[in-house]
Structures are given as C-alpha cells and as structure tokens.
Amino acid sequence: MSQFWSPIVHTLTPYVPGEQPKVANLIKLNTNENPYPPSPKALEAIAAANNDRLKLYPDPSSDKLKQTLANYHHLTADQVFVGNGSDEVLAHAFQALLKHDKPLLFPDISYSFYPVYCGLYDIDYQLIPLTDTFEINIDDYQQPCGAIIFPNPNAPTGRLLALESVEALLKMHPDTVVLVDEAYIDFGGQSACVLINQYPNLLVTQTLSKSRSLAGIRVGFALGQAHLIEALERVKNSFNSYPIDSLAMPAAIAAFEDQSYFEETCQKIIDSRNHVTATMEALGFNVLPSAANFIFATHATLDAADIVQQLRDEAIIVRYFNKPRINQFLRITIGNDYENNRLCEELTKIVHRSK
Ligand SMILES: *Cc1c(COP(=O)(O)O)cnc(C)c1O
C-alpha cells in the first residue's frame, strides 16, 4: 500500500532509539538517562500544575521558561529557543540553519540522528573522520561547507573538545553556523554558551533529558544570538506553535531553580564514572576519557557483541553499534551505585570465564 506515500517517505531511514524493554529488574544502561530521579521540586511543580487549567492551551511562547534559561546562562530571553526535547530543537535547526548549497560537516562517529535529519530535509552532508583516538581535530574542518554540527562531549565516544578549540572553529568559519550539541556538557565540560555574545555564528543546544533527569517530559533548548533564534522560531511557528506543555514548563523551570540537587546528582555520576572506568581498566578494557554520563569501552581480547549478549543474559542492557570503527566498543550509561556494581560484577565474571 506504499503507493499512498509521499515520494520522500520511500527514501527515509528513520532513527532507531535504544530499546526500552518492559522487563522487571532490568538494569538499563543503554540510553544515557539519568539514574537519579528528577528534582523533588520539579515533581512538586508538576503536581501543582495538574489541575483544571489543563483545559487551556499552554503559553505559545514559553516566556517564563525562556526567561529562566536566559537568567541561568546570563543571556537575554530573545537568545533562547525551547522545544520538545533537543531532538525537536535540532530538527528545527537542521531545517532553519544547516541546509545550504555546500555540505553540512559532522564527525563520522557522532549522534546517529544527524544523518536522519539530513535525509528528511534533503541536506547534503560530509562525514569528517575522528582521529585514531576518536577526537575531533578542528583542522579537518578547514574546508568549504554550509554549516557544522557536532555533539560536545561527543556521543557515543564521550570525548570532549576543549572550549578553545570550539572558539577556534568559530573563528575559522565566521560566515557559517556552528551548532554545538551539548546534551552531555554538564558531566564534565564548559559550555560554549559563554561565547554567544562574541560569535554570531554559534548555536548551542542543551536538554533536560540527561543532567536534569527529565527525559520523560521532553524539554530541550537552543542558545544563540537573536537572529539565529528568529530563524528557529520561524520554522517552529510554521510547524507547531505550542511546543512546551503546561506540565513540562513548570517542571523545567523548577529543575533549573534547584541548583544544589543538580550539582549533587551530576557529581555523583562523575564520581561513579571514574570508579567504573578504573574497575573496567583493571579488567583489561580500554575506556576512552569521558566527559559524559556514559563511557565508551573496548576490551583487549574479548568480542564486544559477545560481551553485550552475556550482559543481556544477566538482565543488564548496554548499547552496541554494529558500525565501522566502533563495532568492538560498548557504550555504557553510568547508573546508580547498585547498577554500577552489578555491571562491574558481571564484567568481572565474563573476563574471568574467558581465561
Ligand atoms: C540525548 C541526546 C539528544 C536529545 O535529547 P532529547 O531527549 O531529545 O532532549 C541530543 N543530542 C545528543 C547527542 C544526545 O545524546
């Protein structure tokens, strides 16, 4: 019955998110969610908004949330764009800012949604290989291009590009939008948003799904100079003018107002990341230096797909990409203490069984 489809639908290869199995007692370390619950203040805010005002449409411009985010990042409200998760913000950005005659550049190993958006919006792109140590080398981006996008820290590698290098890239391409996807920046990097007022070509996206433990409410945002935000607003208001719903907005605001909870949970994840890394290195894994809430690791002798299966048999799920260059790596989300200990316990058994 696909003769009913619009022509482009035949060409699409949609993104496949990490699985969300409905199995009890599963240790889910495959989709980079936060192991800790949302701030209690965010949950209270949702409860307080759960009333008969839900019969009304939400604020179409999400003004209060924009102001909260602007204050937090020392920007103005017209430098903030909000959407249903940063995936939606990215979708609008691909259409509004990244589609040009020259190709969009992004790393060969990065967020697998990028090529999917290029397919949907018919954007020409060129993959720039990461170095042998899975780092972005900005000199490789010294070529004509329509725009540049990369996650920082990168996913699924976890590797961070230093702020000085981000700035050097902005200077290298002053007439080209550089979109820095900072989904994981709170776990170990310094945000490029401090450069926004200096660089009219910089757009930064962030999300509440990872460091704020709110993947379920779908809020993400972009920060940049007002002319870039206006392009996003034009596309958004040609698509769905009511992005943030009336429960998500107060939750998002409350999450940004609870700085101590945020710092405490991020720090716990960073400490756990260091602990899991050290344990795995002692077991013969090479773990890439990570600035994110996950690690990317390969074992000296054991096959990655095999390890994934053995963990799965023990109800521990990690992410595996059967793709060139990374098919011997596991991407493991940092969990809570119990989950991390179970992971290390099972990895220890797997390594010892193989001897
Ligand atoms: C998780 C993630 C996102 C999207 O997060 P949302 O839940 O849609 O806000 C965007 N970019 C990268 C690199 C991610 O890992």
Side-chain angles (χ1 to χ4, degrees), residues 117-185:
Y117 291 135
C118 289
L120 180 61
Y121 297 123
D122 196 19
I123 298 170
D124 183 23
Y125 67 92
Q126 189 185 334
L127 300 177
I128 308 295
L130 295 177
T131 66
D132 291 344
T133 49
F134 295 99
E135 288 167 281
I136 290 172
N137 176 0
I138 60 162
D139 294 338
D140 298 337
Y141 289 76
Q142 200 142 23
Q143 56 179 288
C145 58
I148 296 170
I149 183 171
F150 58 92
N152 198 33
N154 197 4
T157 63
R159 297 219 64 162
L160 183 73
L161 182 68
L163 189 59
E164 303 80 73
S165 300
V166 175
E167 185 165 14
L169 195 59
L170 291 163
K171 285 192 176 133
M172 186 192 290
H173 287 288
D175 299 319
T176 301
V177 171
V178 176
L179 198 167
V180 187
D181 176 354
E182 294 188 336
Y184 302 102
I185 195 71

Side-chain angles (χ1 to χ4, degrees), residues 31-32 84-88 90 111 114 151 153 155 181 183-184 206-210 215 218-220:
T31 47
N32 296 344
N84 284 295
S86 55
D87 284 339
E88 187 185 88
L90 288 169
Y111 191 33
Y114 299 162
D181 176 354
Y184 302 102
Q206 293 189 2
T207 174
L208 281 78
S209 299
K210 314 293 177 25
R218 314 301 307 125
V219 180

Side-chain angles (χ1 to χ4, degrees), residues 100-304:
H100 298 280
D101 292 338
K102 289 183 198 143
L104 171 65
L105 307 184
F106 52 88
D108 61 337
I109 299 163
S110 78
Y111 191 33
S112 40
F113 227 132
Y114 299 162
V116 175
Y117 291 135
C118 289
L120 180 61
Y121 297 123
D122 196 19
I123 298 170
D124 183 23
Y125 67 92
Q126 189 185 334
L127 300 177
I128 308 295
L130 295 177
T131 66
D132 291 344
T133 49
F134 295 99
E135 288 167 281
I136 290 172
N137 176 0
I138 60 162
D139 294 338
D140 298 337
Y141 289 76
Q142 200 142 23
Q143 56 179 288
C145 58
I148 296 170
I149 183 171
F150 58 92
N152 198 33
N154 197 4
T157 63
R159 297 219 64 162
L160 183 73
L161 182 68
L163 189 59
E164 303 80 73
S165 300
V166 175
E167 185 165 14
L169 195 59
L170 291 163
K171 285 192 176 133
M172 186 192 290
H173 287 288
D175 299 319
T176 301
V177 171
V178 176
L179 198 167
V180 187
D181 176 354
E182 294 188 336
Y184 302 102
I185 195 71
D186 297 324
F187 299 108
Q190 194 191 347
S191 173
C193 70
V194 294
L195 303 174
I196 282 171
N197 283 321
Q198 273 169 278
Y199 293 94
N201 54 334
L202 170 63
L203 191 76
V204 173
T205 58
Q206 293 189 2
T207 174
L208 281 78
S209 299
K210 314 293 177 25
S211 59
R212 307 266 169 187
S213 306
L214 284 168
I217 66 163
R218 314 301 307 125
V219 180
F221 56 95
L223 307 169
Q225 290 189 13
H227 57 274
L228 300 182
I229 301 303
E230 187 190 337
L232 295 172
E233 292 288 353
R234 283 179 174 225
V235 167
K236 181 208 107 180
N237 291 323
S238 308
F239 173 79
N240 170 12
S241 51
Y242 292 101
I244 308 295
D245 67 66
S246 304
L247 299 176
M249 180 143 115
I253 292 168
F256 269 89
E257 287 171 351
D258 196 350
Q259 183 66 13
S260 61
Y261 184 86
F262 165 71
E263 285 175 8
E264 188 190 317
T265 47
C266 285
Q267 193 55 50
K268 279 204 274 193
I269 289 170
I270 293 166
D271 293 345
S272 302
R273 180 181 73 211
N274 296 338
H275 174 71
V276 172
T277 300
T279 307
M280 287 181 61
E281 283 173 348
L283 289 171
F285 284 92
N286 173 25
V287 183
L288 299 188
S290 171
N293 68 335
F294 58 85
I295 51 177
F296 204 52
T298 182
H299 193 269
T301 55
L302 300 181
D303 179 64

Side-chain angles (χ1 to χ4, degrees), residues 27 29 271-285 287 295 307 311 314 316 318 330 332-353:
I27 297 186
L29 304 177
D271 293 345
S272 302
R273 180 181 73 211
N274 296 338
H275 174 71
V276 172
T277 300
T279 307
M280 287 181 61
E281 283 173 348
L283 289 171
F285 284 92
V287 183
I295 51 177
I307 300 175
L311 287 173
E314 299 301 327
I316 299 173
V318 302
L330 314 174
I332 305 177
T333 307
I334 300 301
N336 61 28
D337 289 345
Y338 170 75
E339 295 167 323
N340 298 331
N341 288 339
R342 281 287 299 125
L343 170 79
C344 291
E345 211 169 83
E346 287 307 324
L347 287 175
T348 306
K349 283 190 208 161
I350 291 167
V351 169
H352 287 157
R353 265 204 297 274

